[in-house]
Amino acid sequence: MVDERKIKRRKFLKSSFQAAGGFYLTGLPGCQAESNQNKAEEANQSKVVIAQNKLVRDKNKKLNGDQVGKLLDNAMENLLQFNHSSKAWQRLFNKNDVVGIKVNCLAGRGLSTNYELVQAIVEGLKSAGVAEKNIIIWDRANRDLEKAGYKIQTNRNRLKCYGNDQVGYSRKLYEFGEVGSSLSNILVRQCTTIINVPILKDHGICGVTNALKNYFGAIHNPNKYHDNLGDPFIADVNMLPEIRNKTRLTITDALTAQYEGGPPFMPQWTWQFNGLLVGFDPVALDTVAWDIIEKKRKEKGLPSLKQANREPTYIATAADSNHRLGCNDLNNIKIDEV
Amino acid sequence: MCGAGAVLLSSLGSNSDLLKQDTKNLVEAKYYEKLPHRKIKCVLCPRECVIDDLETGYCGVRENYGGTYYTLVHSRPCSAHVDPIEKKPLFHFLPGTTAFSIATVGCNVLCKFCQNWEISQARPDQINNYDMPPEKIASYAKNNGCKSIAYTYTEPVIFYEYMYDCAVAGHRKNVKSVMISNGYIQAQPMRDLCKVLDAVKVDLKAYTKEFYKKLVAGRLQPVLDTLVLLKEEKMWTEIVYLVIPTMNDNPQELKRMCKWIVSELGPDVPIHFSRFYPVYRLKNLPPTPTKTLEMAYNIAQDAGIHYAYIGNVPGHDGESTFCPNCKKVVIRRIGYQIVENHVSQKGICFNCGSKIAGVW
């Protein structure tokens, strides 16, 4: 059954890839294409697509990879305003890219980036011409990945999957504001671009962990940066050029989300959101993520994060004039629900 | 599922199997409290980290696995050397002997001027570590002719359990133990540790709250409390003060600090004013001018401190020990080398017969 699903999806992507290639060659040539692309990206900078569908789960509540793939397709089409997801992937990635998929597997089973989503992202990248061997599924440590169910794979001719401990950290110290860190060599040396794939969840110290906080898994000393609710450290980490410049897309795995008790997996406080948050602006994504968690907390009769003394103030810091990483005003974020 | 293009999946064991694998060779930490929902609260250092399951503390070397707190660095030093005791610096503790010096990765503060940041700010999986249980450390120390084991380079508070066990193993072989620390530790663990230590050097990094907040990510008061506790415990203690231009070299601050030392600790606690070199995140400042160190040295002497020193300026007279009574040089040093020693094995000045404070 699993294989059948995979075949269906590949066939679908194969046809997508062919159609998109034709569009790219004839539709947006040369400078005009670049100009249009810039306009499109500018217009989409503070847009967040929330894609939800209960069909991502079967009757036993298990994720259906095909449906997760379709959900991602819908989100990508909406985000980049194409009627075919492969065109969206081609707008963002090409065959020269080496793409790191920064997952979040700290909480182990139950609340880590789901492999069905990662698989869909891999297929999307392949539809844009990125070779499988140029894709690295990546997190803090091999052990974290393994605990979440991923298999460590370092063969240079295949899809790769490993942690920072596999290749170490930069000797160079990267600094911004209060932060001074060595960065993962996966980020610095191996990848030309990153897709950030965090989890939507509550955080016992920083309030919320989503797009911005996920890059604590790229630095060698995240333990030093949880004081003061992670503020301004989380924003500062995201200002490091290797992170800021290489991040091309954020896809939040909100298939299962957690509104209390994070970052570890606490099943009593998770819910099946059955969705993805997709966008370019990490601050906007975090703002929307925070809003979703607050609403769920209210629904469950829990105090707001501010009342719980862990309001995620780092999000506003990320938007301030020293950082300008994005928009934290819900009124100015275009939220498309698909 | 593992065909080309598919995300690689591995089979998973049960939660308890995974926990057993993770904690197989780990030693449970001391000084922590269990909280609901698998959280713990560490009460080893004043930071009092509250740590969720699968998270580490601020130090980066103590981790919560399923509601039990473990040290990740017991028997796993990243550095091991034979050093002159003067390098620590301890000038009044068995001078001229060597210390088997060890460190693990990790630290419970974040000094922007850390000279060993590559190991102090790292975590155990980022650095190559040795496998050296306490008995092995004690044997290495003994076999290398070291009179002591020094816990140094990084911050030994964070490898407390290992330090404690090494000190016990060392004493069995008649090897003493010295802790080279920032003094950022809670009272009870420090008191317990005093039972197995023979000397402590404390970095007093400044005498203002602001400095500790901005440049250390810590607090001053717990360090002062530790110094007072060490006096109560009658532990031989020396202080190092790294003088950083424009940051902690204000004469008034130095005067207040020296006055506090004399009144709270007594005049016999040595203080070493060390020269700063630009490193880590304070590369924008110059090395400390010698005249600034001499100013601090003079302030200490004027305040009544018997044993003030100037460090990291090899060949300076301020490296030598002067008898507080006859004012003659009793130990002349150049760098870490002793070139003259006029103190008896009982700590008596050969010139005037006065007692020179210390462990001889």
Side-chain angles (χ1 to χ4, degrees), chain B residues 248-260:
Chain B
N248 63 358
D249 60 350
N250 182 306
Q252 297 309 315
E253 179 185 343
L254 293 166
K255 281 178 188 171
R256 283 197 302 275
M257 178 185 71
C258 291
K259 190 179 169 188
W260 181 86

Side-chain angles (χ1 to χ4, degrees), chain A residues 44-72:
Chain A
N44 287 330
Q45 258 179 352
S46 289
K47 174 176 173 178
V48 173
V49 178
I50 304 176
Q52 275 181 292
N53 191 342
K54 285 181 183 172
L55 293 177
V56 293
R57 292 181 196 274
D58 63 20
K59 61 183 178 184
N60 296 318
K61 305 291 182 192
K62 288 196 170 181
L63 287 173
N64 176 317
D66 244 9
Q67 290 296 332
V68 172
K70 283 178 185 168
L71 191 66
L72 180 61

Side-chain angles (χ1 to χ4, degrees), chain A residues 130-164:
Chain A
V130 180
E132 202 173 81
K133 66 177 183 178
N134 287 336
I135 300 171
I136 305 169
I137 300 157
W138 152 53
D139 203 358
R140 190 183 67 163
N142 281 350
R143 189 76 189 113
D144 291 344
L145 286 158
E146 286 173 328
K147 279 194 284 192
Y150 292 86
K151 186 177 176 184
I152 302 307
Q153 173 59 267
T154 58
N155 187 322
R156 63 166 58 186
N157 295 316
R158 296 181 62 184
L159 174 69
K160 298 172 188 65
C161 178
Y162 46 80
N164 298 332

Side-chain angles (χ1 to χ4, degrees), chain B residues 44 102 104 106 151-161 163 178-182 193:
Chain B
L44 174 60
I102 58 170
T104 73
Y151 312 100
T152 180
Y153 306 132
T154 58
E155 177 45 57
V157 167
I158 59 93
F159 59 90
Y160 184 99
E161 297 80 3
M163 170 168 54
V178 299
M179 177 195 193
I180 311 304
S181 175
N182 58 25
L193 195 58

